Amino acid sequence: MPEHARDRILARLRRAPREAQPPDDAATPRAPAPGGEAAAALEAALAAMRAEVQRLPREGWAGELRERLRGRGLSSLLYARDTPWAPALEEAWAAGPERPPALVAWEGTVEDFRDRLFVADAAITRAEAAAADPGVLVLRPGPAEPRLLSLVPPVHVVLVPGERIFGTLEEALAGGGFTPPLPANLVLVSGPSKTADIELTLAFGVHGPRELLVFILE
Amino acid sequence: MGDSGFEARVEQALADAGLRRNFASAMGGFAARRLAVFPDAAALERLREQGAAARRRALARLPELLEELERALVGNGIHVHWAETAAVGNRIVLEILEAHGVRRVVKGKSMVSEEMHLNAFLARHGIDAVETDLGEFIIQLAGETPSHIIVPAVHKNRAQIARLFHEKIPGTPYTEEVAELNAVARRTLRRMFREAGAGLSGVNFAVAATGTLCLVENEGNGRMCTGVPPLHIAVMGIEKVIERLEDLPPLLRLLTGSATGQRVTTYVNLISGPRRAGDPDGPREVHVVLLDNGRSAVYADPELRATLQCIRCGCCLNHCPVYTRIGGHAYGTTYPGPIGKVLTPQLAGLERAGGLPFASTLCGACEEVCPVKIPLTRLLRRLREETVRAGAAGGAGAGALERLAWRGYGLSAQHPRLYRLLFACGRWLGGLMPPVAALERWGRAHAEPRFARLSLRRLFRKRGIPDA
Amino acid sequence: MADPSPKPARVQLFATCLVEAFFPETALAAVELIEREGVEVVFPAGQTCCGQPAYNAGHRNEARAAARRQLSALAGDLPVVVPSASCAGMMKHHYPRLFSDPAEREAAERLAHRVVEFGEFLVRGLGVRLRDAGPPLRVAWHSSCHALREMGVVLFAKALLAGLARVDVVPLARETECCGFGGIFAVKHPALSAAMAEDKLADLAATGAERLIAGDCGCLLHLQGAIEARGLPLRVQHLAEFLRERVHGG
């Protein structure tokens, strides 16, 4: 009798009668949605999940974003400093007069930053890719962007580059550069946090963000 | 769980008009939403074929895939543990927690951990496991078990939850406002997420090719449990493995669409390792406990193996005429409903649970909706045969009188004369109800059927219908 | 499904045990409806029960013994018409699974191919056109689980009912839900079984129809027993008897 649980379990499985290998009919990829339509379909799908979707012009997007976040009652917006889009944010926030939300950079590790993270109003991240069907953003946290930015603050702002919108999740995973080894964490997000655990009544923001603001960069 | 216990709980549930109303309307709602999210029957059928094929492919190579998964997980820096039984699995989790000096863990929803009775085990060893899925949080406060595998607190109404929160969470005023109740849970659990020394979770799918754990959820508590504390421990049944990332999209569509009629859940969390060098957050250690607990025995039988295709969507519960009338608690098992009636006797043994497969009309509603095409009626029938063969006590099929009755049935079905003689007796006596307790109970709700006055043979002869 | 198969000259009737015991009129009605299309019906004397009660109760050996009897009683190559989707389903889908001996399995498969449910036979085998001579009537249709899922023959029964000019068929609220019979289930779990029957009858009452038509005597036995025990002003009837009543003028 093998000494280890692992070997005993595997030995039992190997003793079981073998079945003919079922046909590998895998990956009947769906027809890709044409580019422009993919963005519109994504917008509709996310809106159906109660995300708020807006378009931003590629040129001067950060300044425009700052304008649109005004008057939402947000006092702070967390961001990660080492991302390629951080300079644009910093520049836009430095350009105008000081007014909320204040741009606050994540610093150090979560152990250093936890207290500030848990009191922040909002955070901004980028989506690495998106899929119109079934309407998800693919977040790729990593060294440059903490995973908790998109989870802990009550408002999550996401930038989605228009050219990274795919027709289907199959295509997004295949074409989005998610080849092994995969990052420690990938998250598909389709809307704000929600639950229907009390009398099946839908409620938002039970643990994660109450609001998901999606900005598609055109 | 004796048969009489089940029957008593059934009668109790049937007598509870409120419970029946709640379950009927909740499950009816899920069924309607499922239809709305899968409007094209032909497309759904293709998707089910795809999902079933992905699961069958994985099971056909289960031992190899588990090794591949282990290699990939370890390559990703995830610690892998193997547990043959729930007791060993619990012990492994405890040892990891003790090694890290953890006294409190936050927990995401996991049916495997329910199967292991992990919370109670940890509590006995002084570790507080806090359920953070809202439904699980509610039933943990109430000291209950889930009544549904997707919506565990579906049996509770808002007044009950309001009272529970008011009584069990200090400083909580009584309110039936759902938004306010949600806010109470959020406030209470946020503190736990921040301070807990470890997070525990289940696994929906484990991708062998990439060493990835896939967790599906709507609330974000699962991401909290697996992302905030420095230690993450995932428990999963060994059947949860799939071959590759490409298998995920169809399975995700099937899982969420079948479970709650959603196109997709709010979050799909793909974990392929602990915090890596340079990462600002994420757990520093990730452990996976691969639990057998009877699954390899299920696997040994080529027919019953299909049980392991299950992706735990709960769709068979939502569509079951028995489940929707009595809810999950009446079963007295971790997994209720059709899949529970098939899985439990195999995991817990026929002696304990062999009666459960008989609690079905074999109507096939479950099989019709199963997203991975588990032949549930065939499995139910097969398990009835096993129960009868084993003469298992739990399997109400064991009584000597019953055995005799079936022997008699077999004889009469083989011998037309005897068959006709029996019916003749029925006609003479005006009824053929032997004084058997089970039939008497049937008679409480049914008038006794009246036997035909003439045999078919005579009727047909009178009308000149040939008999050969 | 477009072209009915060529009309046979003769068919065998497999009556089923419940018809034999409790609903002989169903068999007579079925025979009459087939004969009026110019097709001869024979009733093979050696037939007994199809074996389904034992099969579903986990007594496979007894089920196999019953199946063997029908294989020999129903020898030949005539279509076998069965006024019950559940017994027809047993013979069509499960008989071949009962045998490991190749010869027996082949015999079972041959019989399976000949078995046809009554409503399907009227529509596809005979292409019947029934003239409704009855008074205006409102009825509801009950899809037995085997007719609906295993045999897929509900559409034929519905087409037959739809062809009756003065019959108004109203849908049941939970039309695809089981009535709660389930053979051994009704005996082992009478409370559940009765609760399901009660809901089915409540749905029927809510339609305003006073009669429920079905193609399976199991459901009919179960629901009729529940109706009588409660003294409800409702009635259940097999499709064959109902159709015969309509062509006779009610």
Side-chain angles (χ1 to χ4, degrees):
Chain A
M1 194 163 182
E3 194 180 333
H4 298 292
R6 171 191 187 279
D7 301 334
R8 285 194 297 269
I9 292 170
L10 289 174
R12 277 199 295 274
L13 295 176
R14 286 212 179 81
R15 271 200 304 277
R18 278 296 158 130
E19 274 176 304
Q21 177 77 5
D24 191 344
D25 57 341
T28 21
R30 302 167 155 218
E37 281 177 35
L42 174 69
E43 191 171 341
L46 292 172
M49 301 292 275
R50 310 277 184 96
E52 197 179 314
V53 188
Q54 301 182 33
R55 310 268 180 137
L56 279 182
R58 184 76 51 139
E59 209 53 40
W61 63 268
E64 182 65 26
L65 174 70
R66 191 181 180 199
E67 281 308 307
R68 297 204 197 164
L69 290 181
R70 274 177 64 192
R72 283 188 168 269
L74 304 175
S75 61
S76 60
L77 178 69
L78 291 181
Y79 78 111
R81 195 178 274 152
D82 296 335
T83 56
W85 53 93
L89 282 175
E90 289 163 353
E91 199 177 310
W93 256 259
E98 235 178 78
R99 54 172 189 240
L103 194 61
V104 179
W106 171 290
E107 279 168 31
T109 64
V110 64
E111 287 76 17
D112 313 317
F113 197 69
R114 183 173 307 167
D115 291 343
R116 276 174 286 171
L117 173 67
F118 272 82
V119 296
D121 275 357
I124 182 167
T125 74
R126 195 181 89 131
E128 181 79 7
D133 175 11
V136 290
L137 310 174
V138 187
L139 308 184
R140 181 182 195 147
E145 195 172 71
R147 62 176 87 182
L148 296 181
L149 274 188
S150 61
L151 179 65
V152 175
V155 176
H156 177 206
V157 180
V158 198
L159 301 172
V160 184
E163 73 279 6
R164 303 288 294 168
I165 301 174
F166 294 83
T168 64
L169 179 57
E170 283 84 342
E171 290 162 8
L173 290 178
F178 305 106
T179 43
L182 293 181
N185 192 210
L186 274 177
V187 186
L188 313 185
V189 178
S190 68
S193 152
K194 65 175 180 283
T195 184
D197 273 344
I198 300 179
E199 288 192 354
L200 301 181
T201 306
L202 200 55
F204 292 93
V206 61
H207 292 304
R210 184 182 65 233
E211 289 177 43
L212 180 68
L213 308 182
V214 181
F215 290 93
I216 298 176
L217 297 178
E218 295 184 301
Chain B
M1 144 209 37
D3 210 46
S4 59
F6 175 68
E7 200 53 27
R9 288 190 299 272
V10 163
E11 293 196 13
Q12 200 179 351
L14 288 176
D16 186 340
L19 178 126
R20 278 181 72 176
R21 218 172 23 246
N22 287 353
F23 271 96
S25 94
M27 299 306 116
F30 281 143
R33 290 174 47 128
R34 172 184 173 273
L35 276 182
V37 81
F38 294 129
D40 179 344
L44 172 60
E45 188 51 29
R46 282 197 301 277
L47 189 59
R48 289 173 74 217
E49 281 295 342
Q50 217 182 340
R55 293 296 298 132
R56 287 188 194 127
R57 260 190 285 115
L59 291 178
R61 293 179 49 222
L62 185 58
E64 293 77 24
L65 274 193
L66 283 169
E67 284 183 301
E68 186 184 340
L69 174 69
E70 181 186 43
R71 270 195 307 277
L73 289 170
V74 169
N76 285 338
I78 295 176
H79 301 267
V80 178
H81 310 264
W82 300 72
E84 287 185 278
T85 62
V88 172
N90 286 335
R91 176 64 56 186
I92 290 169
V93 172
L94 177 66
E95 279 168 10
I96 301 167
L97 292 174
E98 284 182 338
H100 288 76
V102 174
R103 309 311 303 168
R104 171 177 284 163
V105 298
V106 281
K107 242 184 113 223
K109 190 167 159 28
S110 154
M111 287 308 295
V112 166
S113 73
E114 297 283 346
E115 176 185 331
M116 296 160 69
H117 304 293
L118 178 59
N119 291 3
F121 173 83
L122 292 178
R124 284 199 297 276
H125 291 83
I127 292 175
D128 187 16
V130 180
E131 294 288 351
T132 63
D133 168 85
L134 180 60
E136 293 279 351
F137 176 69
I138 290 166
I139 59 168
Q140 187 177 40
L141 281 181
E144 297 177 7
T145 55
S147 61
H148 188 285
I149 66 181
I150 300 289
V151 277
V154 68
H155 58 289
K156 289 218 166 311
N157 62 36
R158 72 178 76 191
Q160 292 167 315
I161 296 166
R163 186 167 316 285
L164 194 64
F165 279 20
H166 175 59
E167 285 168 5
K168 296 283 172 74
I169 304 172
T172 305
Y174 183 93
T175 172
E176 292 184 14
E177 283 299 312
V178 171
E180 186 46 39
L181 291 168
N182 278 304
V184 170
R186 178 182 171 105
R187 273 198 301 277
T188 310
L189 291 170
R190 280 238 146 186
R191 199 168 48 80
M192 307 279 185
F193 290 133
R194 271 180 73 168
E195 293 164 6
L200 273 167
S201 78
V203 173
N204 292 97
F205 304 101
V207 184
T210 58
T212 302
L213 309 176
C214 175
L215 280 69
V216 174
E217 57 152 342
N218 284 311
E219 295 184 3
N221 66 303
R223 289 182 65 199
M224 290 279 189
C225 293
T226 61
V228 181
L231 172 66
H232 168 209
I233 305 171
V235 291
M236 61 176 269
I238 53 173
E239 83 282 18
K240 289 280 181 182
V241 62
I242 59 174
E243 283 186 329
R244 56 196 177 216
L245 208 56
E246 290 77 15
D247 290 332
L248 257 186
L251 287 170
L252 289 174
R253 282 193 178 84
L254 286 165
L255 174 61
T256 57
S258 306
T260 53
Q262 285 181 276
R263 272 184 93 187
V264 60
T265 48
T266 300
Y267 304 117
V268 177
N269 190 2
L270 301 171
I271 298 168
S272 305
R275 185 190 307 196
R276 297 202 179 138
D279 281 353
D281 62 356
R284 294 188 181 279
E285 270 183 40
V286 178
H287 295 254
V288 176
V289 180
L290 295 168
L291 179 72
D292 181 340
N293 205 33
R295 287 164 175 78
S296 57
V298 176
Y299 188 77
D301 185 290
E303 184 178 42
L304 295 173
R305 182 178 299 172
T307 312
L308 301 177
Q309 281 167 229
C310 179
I311 57 173
R312 304 284 188 268
C313 67
C315 194
C316 61
L317 283 57
N318 303 351
H319 290 77
C320 174
V322 172
Y323 177 88
T324 54
R325 280 178 176 74
I326 60 175
H329 286 155
Y331 293 81
T333 57
T334 301
Y335 304 99
I339 189 63
K341 287 177 219 174
V342 167
L343 184 58
T344 312
Q346 299 185 68
L347 296 185
L350 296 171
E351 201 54 49
R352 280 185 58 206
L356 279 176
F358 289 88
S360 161
T361 64
L362 301 183
C363 74
C366 48
E367 184 171 317
E368 188 178 35
V369 295
C370 175
V372 291
K373 306 190 97 170
I374 301 173
L376 285 155
T377 51
R378 204 171 85 205
L379 299 182
L380 284 165
R381 201 181 281 115
R382 165 71 192 281
L383 288 163
R384 291 178 180 190
E385 287 171 11
E386 295 299 325
T387 298
V388 166
R389 190 170 307 144
L401 190 62
E402 197 176 325
R403 215 174 276 276
L404 197 66
W406 284 115
R407 199 63 49 79
Y409 167 89
L411 284 174
S412 74
Q414 286 173 78
H415 302 288
R417 281 196 182 156
L418 179 59
Y419 176 77
R420 289 194 296 267
L421 180 68
L422 276 176
F423 285 149
C425 290
R427 280 191 293 277
W428 293 329
L429 300 171
L432 190 68
M433 289 299 215
V436 176
L439 291 181
E440 277 168 12
R441 288 195 299 158
W442 188 77
R444 274 188 230 152
H446 292 80
E448 188 165 334
R450 278 181 306 280
F451 258 81
R453 283 195 302 276
L454 286 175
S455 80
L456 264 187
R457 235 161 52 124
R458 286 186 59 188
L459 282 169
F460 281 162
R461 273 194 193 146
K462 275 167 64 175
R463 294 181 198 206
I465 295 163
D467 61 4
Chain C
M1 220 161 287
D3 310 322
S5 340
K7 190 187 279 189
R10 303 174 86 193
V11 298
Q12 292 180 334
L13 179 76
F14 180 74
T16 81
C17 63
L18 289 181
V19 165
E20 170 89 48
F22 304 113
F23 302 100
E25 281 303 318
T26 294
L28 292 173
V31 169
E32 188 181 324
L33 288 164
I34 295 169
E35 283 182 337
R36 68 197 293 275
E37 302 296 320
V39 174
E40 193 190 354
V41 180
V42 294
F43 177 64
Q47 62 180 272
T48 60
C49 167
C50 70
Q52 185 178 210
Y55 187 58
N56 284 350
H59 294 267
R60 197 179 177 88
N61 293 336
E62 282 76 7
R64 191 182 300 111
R68 263 193 200 114
R69 173 93 289 269
Q70 311 327 313
L71 286 181
S72 95
L74 302 170
D77 53 9
L78 298 179
V80 178
V81 179
V82 186
S84 154
S86 112
C87 310
M90 175 70 192
M91 300 166 94
K92 208 170 186 59
H93 298 291
H94 301 285
Y95 272 15
R97 313 171 67 95
L98 282 170
F99 299 102
S100 48
D101 173 69
E104 278 189 313
R105 182 184 282 255
E106 205 200 306
E109 262 154 19
R110 273 201 307 275
L111 176 60
H113 279 112
R114 291 162 53 213
V115 164
V116 54
E117 187 270 338
F118 168 72
E120 177 176 3
F121 182 66
L122 286 196
V123 175
R124 293 225 293 167
L126 301 179
V128 297
R129 294 265 178 281
L130 300 175
R131 206 183 61 78
D132 186 6
L137 183 70
R138 172 182 283 193
V139 300
W141 164 256
H142 167 63
S143 293
S144 81
C145 298
H146 290 97
L148 181 70
R149 302 196 177 90
E150 188 165 75
M151 293 291 286
V153 294
V154 165
L155 73 169
F156 302 113
K158 284 190 169 175
L160 289 165
L161 292 175
L164 300 171
R166 306 176 73 181
V167 173
D168 179 20
V169 185
V170 290
L172 280 180
R174 288 168 276 190
E175 190 188 308
T176 58
E177 192 176 82
C178 179
C179 69
F181 178 57
I184 186 88
F185 173 80
V187 178
K188 285 196 187 289
H189 298 285
L192 268 170
S193 176
M196 289 164 72
E198 218 161 76
D199 288 344
K200 191 56 78 184
L201 295 175
D203 287 351
L204 173 61
T207 63
E210 54 129 40
R211 213 187 292 190
L212 186 68
I213 312 300
D216 261 279
C217 290
C219 314
L220 296 177
L221 181 78
H222 174 60
L223 292 174
Q224 181 172 300
I227 286 171
E228 287 174 11
R230 290 163 183 74
L232 299 173
L234 302 169
R235 186 180 161 195
V236 292
Q237 192 173 33
H238 191 281
L239 177 69
E241 288 182 56
F242 181 65
L243 294 177
R244 180 181 62 176
E245 179 186 321
R246 296 307 295 184
V247 298
H248 283 189

